[in-house]
């Protein structure tokens, strides 16, 4: 494994966090991009961020600056197949993965490679798919963090009936893993605010679109059969007896009340089985809580600060 300098995409009115640096980790023949940002002269620790599907480092600049304002250093990654990390297929816009274990192993390898630059203690912040990756890492016991905050974690997917996951698995076995799932728009273009399922905040939505316009390479399209099958396997794993109970560090699960993408019921079920998770409802929030209107985000940050207090960070 080797480290190489990388780059950050820039747009007007959205500065990177102070002192931010981008790198790529060369691992198993793949380049995985990540960003480090310091926490000041005497940092309280480091927050490790695991973004959701279709997301990229630059989308979290505002979040990173807010974490820095709390005295923490920041680590953010582009998961394999997303952002400016390498993509697994010739068509870079297909959302594909073989297993969510790949995401988890990559994340663990990256923080191991720069551990001396991540002052402790450490907390983990995961959104949606990144929240699923976070709980997998915690259950594996290979990531030494003291607290974990999950924003609308993908512990279940709305509309993913058992039949759909079985069909996706069958397609993988038939050699169709790299094909788009049917019924999804395969024309990769910048999204529009009207009718979006992510946020009520148009300014933050438009900021995301400006990044796509600045560098089309950041974009990602519909998922493949392989991605859906991998997601279904990961969801099944979190529902096994003892999985939630195995994670004993203080945990926050922020559940978006107006989420049409992931299952809030699955989040409630996970929290009910957990020995340490606190479920906090986010009224009027769509899926991307951290990209929502200020009043919703303030509720999240208040819960996040309470988590840090509970974890003595």
């Amino acid at each position: 494994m080797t480290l190489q300098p990388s780059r950050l995409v820039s747009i007007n009115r959205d500065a990177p966090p102070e002192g931010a640096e981008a790198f790529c980790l060369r691992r198993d023949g793949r380049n995985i991009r990540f960003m480090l940002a310091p926490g000041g002269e005497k940092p309280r620790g480091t927050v490790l961020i695991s973004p959701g599907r279709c997301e990229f480092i630059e989308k979290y600049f505002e979040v990173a600056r807010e974490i820095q304002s709390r005295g923490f250093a920041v680590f953010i990654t582009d998961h394999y197949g997303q952002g400016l990390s390498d993509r697994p297929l010739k068509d870079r816009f297909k959302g594909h993965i073989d297993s969510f274990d790949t995401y988890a192993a990559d994340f663990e390898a990256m923080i191991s490679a720069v551990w001396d630059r991540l002052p402790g203690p450490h907390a983990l912040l995961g959104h949606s798919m990144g929240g699923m990756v976070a709980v997998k890492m915690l259950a594996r016991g290979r990531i030494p963090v003291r607290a974990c905050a999950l924003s609308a974690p993908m512990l279940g997917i709305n509309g993913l009936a058992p039949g759909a996951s079985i069909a996706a698995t069958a397609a993988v076995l038939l050699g169709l893993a790299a094909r788009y799932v049917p019924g999804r728009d395969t024309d990769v273009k910048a999204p529009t605010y009207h009718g979006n399922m992510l946020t009520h905040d148009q300014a933050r939505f438009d900021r995301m679109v400006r990044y796509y316009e600045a560098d089309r390479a950041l974009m990602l399209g519909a998922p493949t059969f392989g991605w859906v099958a991998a997601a279904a396997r990961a969801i099944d794993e979190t529902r096994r007896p003892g999985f939630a109970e195995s994670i004993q560090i203080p945990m926050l699960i922020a559940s978006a009340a107006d989420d049409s993408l992931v299952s809030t019921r699955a989040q409630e079920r996970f929290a009910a089985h957990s020995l340490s998770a606190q479920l906090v409802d986010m009224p009027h929030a769509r899926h991307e809580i951290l990209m929502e209107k200020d009043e919703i985000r303030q509720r999240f940050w208040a819960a996040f600060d309470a988590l840090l207090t509970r974890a003595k960070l």
Side-chain angles (χ1 to χ4, degrees):
M1 296 189 296
T2 58
L3 280 180
Q4 301 171 346
S6 186
R7 65 184 178 92
L8 296 170
V9 179
S10 176
I11 62 172
N12 292 334
R13 302 188 302 279
D14 191 39
E18 185 175 355
E21 297 178 273
F23 300 91
C24 278
L25 176 71
R26 184 77 176 170
R27 181 173 187 269
D28 297 335
R30 301 174 289 117
N31 288 317
I32 312 298
R33 187 176 70 136
F34 64 91
M35 183 196 80
L36 299 176
E41 292 184 6
K42 296 182 179 180
R44 291 173 59 186
T46 302
V47 176
L48 314 169
I49 300 179
S50 174
R53 192 184 108 76
C54 293
E55 294 193 313
F56 49 91
I57 289 167
E58 289 80 358
K59 189 174 176 179
Y60 280 80
F61 279 174
E62 180 183 22
V63 171
R65 293 193 301 267
E66 290 166 314
I67 290 172
Q68 280 186 319
S69 73
R70 288 165 165 79
F72 288 90
V74 184
F75 168 97
I76 312 174
T77 185
D78 281 346
H79 293 297
Y80 178 45
Q82 301 193 174
L84 298 184
S85 288
D86 283 351
R87 306 286 176 104
L89 302 177
K90 185 176 180 180
D91 181 350
R92 68 173 287 108
F93 298 116
K94 286 184 174 181
H96 183 72
I97 198 66
D98 56 344
S99 168
F100 276 41
D101 288 334
T102 299
Y103 294 138
D106 285 345
F107 198 101
E108 294 162 0
M110 281 182 284
I111 64 170
S112 176
V114 293
W115 190 249
D116 60 341
R117 297 190 60 180
L118 305 176
H122 305 86
L124 183 59
L125 171 58
H127 170 67
S128 192
M129 184 193 84
M132 168 62 79
V133 176
V135 297
K136 283 183 67 68
M137 291 190 291
L138 294 176
R140 288 154 66 106
R142 299 178 189 174
I143 180 166
V145 298
R146 293 249 298 266
C148 177
L150 303 177
S151 160
M154 195 198 77
L155 302 172
I157 300 176
N158 289 334
L160 184 65
S165 61
I166 292 171
T169 301
V172 171
L173 294 175
L174 291 171
L176 305 177
R179 292 195 180 184
Y180 282 118
V181 293
R184 296 293 297 269
D185 186 359
T186 58
D187 182 15
V188 180
K189 54 185 180 295
T192 57
Y193 176 75
H194 180 70
N196 90 88
M197 296 181 287
L198 303 179
T199 176
H200 293 93
D201 191 293
Q202 185 166 359
R204 290 187 171 98
F205 186 93
D206 290 346
R207 181 182 64 196
M208 173 186 70
V209 173
R210 293 202 308 276
Y211 275 114
Y212 290 146
E213 293 170 346
D215 194 335
R216 182 173 165 80
L218 294 171
M219 299 181 72
L220 186 66
T224 63
F225 280 116
W227 187 93
V228 173
R233 292 195 303 271
I235 290 168
D236 287 345
E237 181 183 358
T238 66
R239 294 177 178 175
R240 292 174 186 163
F243 183 95
E245 294 89 340
S246 71
I247 302 172
Q248 298 183 15
I249 62 171
M251 179 181 292
L252 161 67
I253 300 177
S255 186
D258 296 344
D259 202 329
S260 58
L261 295 177
V262 304
S263 170
T264 56
R265 186 170 183 179
Q267 295 160 12
E268 293 167 358
R269 185 187 307 117
F270 190 93
H273 286 283
S274 172
L275 303 175
S276 60
Q278 178 187 18
L279 184 73
V280 177
D281 184 51
M282 298 287 152
H284 312 300
R286 288 179 179 162
H287 179 60
E288 292 189 351
I289 295 168
L290 290 163
M291 310 299 160
E292 260 290 4
K293 288 183 173 292
D294 287 346
E295 55 268 28
I296 294 172
R297 299 179 80 256
Q298 287 166 5
R299 180 173 173 81
F300 174 85
W301 286 121
F304 181 83
D305 290 338
L307 172 71
L308 296 182
T309 300
R310 184 155 61 105
K312 300 181 180 179
L313 290 177

